[in-house]
Amino acid sequence: MEFLGGPLTPSSPRIPCYRTLDGTGKHIPDAVVPHDLQQQDAVALYTAMAKLQVMDTICYDAQRQGRFSFFMTCAGEEATVVGSAAGLDPRDMVFSQYREHGVLLWRGFSFDDFANQLYGNSLEPGQGRQMPIHYGSKELNYQTVSSPLATQLPHAAGAAYAMKLDGADTVAAAYFGEGASSEGDFHAALNFAATLGAPCLFICRNNGYAISTPANEQYAGDGIACRGTAYGMPAIRVDGGDARAVYCATRAAREIALRDGCPVLIEAMSYRSGHHSTSDDSSRYRTREEMVAWRARDPVVRFRHWLVANAWWDEEREKQLRHATRQQVIEALEKASKVAKPPVSALFSDVYADMPWHLQEQLQETLQVARRHPHLCPPDMPVQ
């Protein structure tokens, strides 16, 4: 009789972490690289990460200036998000949490698209009904963000099962943070996907903090990857700061999911360099020394060092890219700020093809109140 796990077997082997580049961006000699990046793809991946950094910085500052109400950056997790996006097929359906806008950027979401959503103007598909950073794109196979944690995971498992039944050669990709793995939906989704053999990639951004809760208070076991094997699916732990490793792991996981008809769990070990959001002050729960040390491990710089070592990038291209991106983002925000808000009536549209009588009555009552009390509506919102 033998009990396994916990304090009874503290020396149990831990799941190793796959990486191909060391902390300075140098190739690790004995690293297995089944899907190495050629120059064109490597430069495209880096370009997307650098653009994401610039956009995040400017949009964060714009929110601080009061231009819109909320923002979240991807600081420190660019390699995890963009590297995995590059490893997916553009036809794969993405179910994100809220810090994966780099996937959209990789797939072609423009700075204008981002800016329109942040301002909630009339050019934004959601018509301002969602708070900022709740992006979505039918054309780019990216399901609209939902604030509650882990609700996207059962949806992804169901979508993947539907793909299996249809005989499609695509997968569903579900992103989440390690904090979301404490939600019941996480366990339900993994169990459904495993028992149904759904081709779903569960991509965990283990960035060290669930808002203010550190990982060592979030779970007692060996991270998140071990939960995949417990539910009967292949799992891998990867260095989330190594864009090439994340890319390789995602491509390999996608191949396994389609070939063997099963879900795969990827745990990307990263670090959230910025605050949780513009509503958070992370200096209240982590030290300045910790943040400075991790910011020195910038995954974008790390990947750039590898590009430079291959003679695929130089300082002049770096300056041109960041300068051009900065101008494009600022111009997009300026344009979006001048676009009118959706009319009040947009609160009631896009639910029924033909609006039922009770909503028609509510719409007329709402318009009457708005006309009697115009101060209750934003000045740029048409009362119609």
Side-chain angles (χ1 to χ4, degrees):
M1 185 172 66
E2 182 179 7
F3 292 89
L4 300 176
L8 300 182
T9 51
S11 60
S12 297
R14 300 175 68 85
I15 295 176
C17 188
Y18 170 65
R19 65 198 310 228
T20 67
L21 303 176
D22 66 17
T24 64
K26 294 179 181 178
H27 171 71
I28 297 174
D30 59 347
V32 176
V33 187
H35 302 286
D36 207 355
L37 289 161
Q38 300 306 309
Q39 180 175 354
Q40 182 177 351
D41 293 334
V43 170
L45 200 161
Y46 175 75
T47 299
M49 289 197 294
K51 286 183 174 181
L52 179 60
Q53 273 193 332
V54 174
M55 182 181 75
D56 274 353
T57 300
I58 294 173
C59 290
Y60 187 92
D61 291 343
Q63 190 283 331
R64 284 296 191 233
Q65 295 167 1
R67 293 171 180 260
F68 39 85
S69 62
F70 185 77
F71 192 71
M72 302 179 89
T73 74
C74 195
E77 302 179 67
E78 297 90 350
T80 293
V81 175
V82 181
S84 59
L88 296 172
D89 188 289
R91 299 171 298 143
D92 295 335
M93 186 63 71
V94 172
F95 296 79
S96 73
Q97 185 161 297
Y98 43 56
R99 207 182 296 277
E100 292 84 20
H101 45 293
V103 178
L104 274 174
L105 186 63
W106 173 261
R107 290 190 170 190
F109 209 63
S110 70
F111 294 134
D112 287 333
D113 294 329
F114 283 112
N116 289 332
Q117 199 287 324
L118 293 172
Y119 276 99
N121 63 34
S122 57
L123 296 180
E124 195 263 314
Q127 294 292 287
R129 301 185 190 97
Q130 284 269 36
M131 65 187 289
I133 70 90
H134 287 55
Y135 315 105
S137 174
K138 181 178 180 180
E139 295 75 21
L140 299 178
N141 297 311
Y142 191 99
Q143 294 287 327
T144 303
V145 174
S146 176
S147 288
L149 287 184
T151 56
Q152 75 277 15
L153 302 184
H155 299 164
Y161 185 50
M163 294 172 188
K164 176 181 179 178
L165 296 178
D166 287 341
D169 61 344
T170 54
V171 303
Y175 288 87
F176 61 100
E178 83 286 349
S181 69
S182 296
E183 296 286 341
D185 279 343
F186 166 82
H187 299 278
L190 265 65
N191 195 43
F192 269 118
T195 55
L196 295 173
C200 185
L201 305 189
F202 293 100
I203 304 173
C204 175
R205 298 177 293 95
N206 191 337
N207 64 18
Y209 287 91
I211 306 183
S212 60
T213 303
N216 64 349
E217 296 179 14
Q218 191 69 233
Y219 51 77
D222 180 21
I224 309 303
C226 62
R227 301 184 191 183
T229 58
Y231 276 110
M233 67 180 71
I236 186 172
R237 175 173 291 147
V238 60
D239 181 348
D242 178 352
R244 186 171 68 158
V246 175
Y247 169 77
C248 286
T250 305
R251 280 199 57 178
R254 188 178 187 278
E255 291 174 355
I256 293 170
L258 291 174
R259 183 190 68 217
D260 299 325
C262 65
V264 182
L265 174 60
I266 301 172
E267 181 183 17
M269 308 303 293
S270 57
Y271 185 81
R272 194 195 77 214
S273 295
H275 304 297
H276 173 72
S277 70
T278 49
S279 301
D280 175 49
D281 177 7
S282 61
S283 66
R284 296 175 63 87
Y285 52 83
R286 56 183 180 178
T287 66
R288 179 180 180 278
E289 291 74 20
E290 176 186 329
M291 290 187 282
V292 169
W294 276 98
R295 285 171 182 166
R297 307 179 191 183
D298 185 344
V300 182
V301 173
R302 180 176 171 185
F303 192 65
R304 185 173 74 228
H305 286 163
W306 182 69
L307 290 183
V308 171
N310 283 287
W312 294 347
W313 199 254
D314 56 46
E315 190 61 32
E316 184 60 32
R317 295 183 69 179
E318 180 72 15
K319 291 179 181 178
Q320 291 176 358
L321 172 63
R322 291 188 179 263
H323 176 75
T325 301
R326 179 177 175 79
Q327 294 302 117
Q328 292 164 9
V329 174
I330 291 174
E331 289 173 8
L333 290 174
E334 286 296 319
K335 284 193 296 183
S337 69
K338 297 174 183 177
V339 177
K341 293 290 189 289
V344 173
S345 58
L347 287 167
F348 298 87
S349 59
D350 295 337
V351 179
Y352 297 96
D354 297 308
M355 190 181 297
W357 65 270
H358 66 286
L359 287 185
Q360 292 181 27
E361 287 187 355
Q362 292 176 32
L363 169 58
Q364 293 307 314
E365 291 175 1
T366 301
L367 291 173
Q368 290 172 13
V369 171
R371 287 167 183 150
R372 287 199 305 267
H373 307 282
H375 63 282
L376 296 178
C377 288
D380 55 349
M381 176 179 284
V383 180
Q384 60 188 44

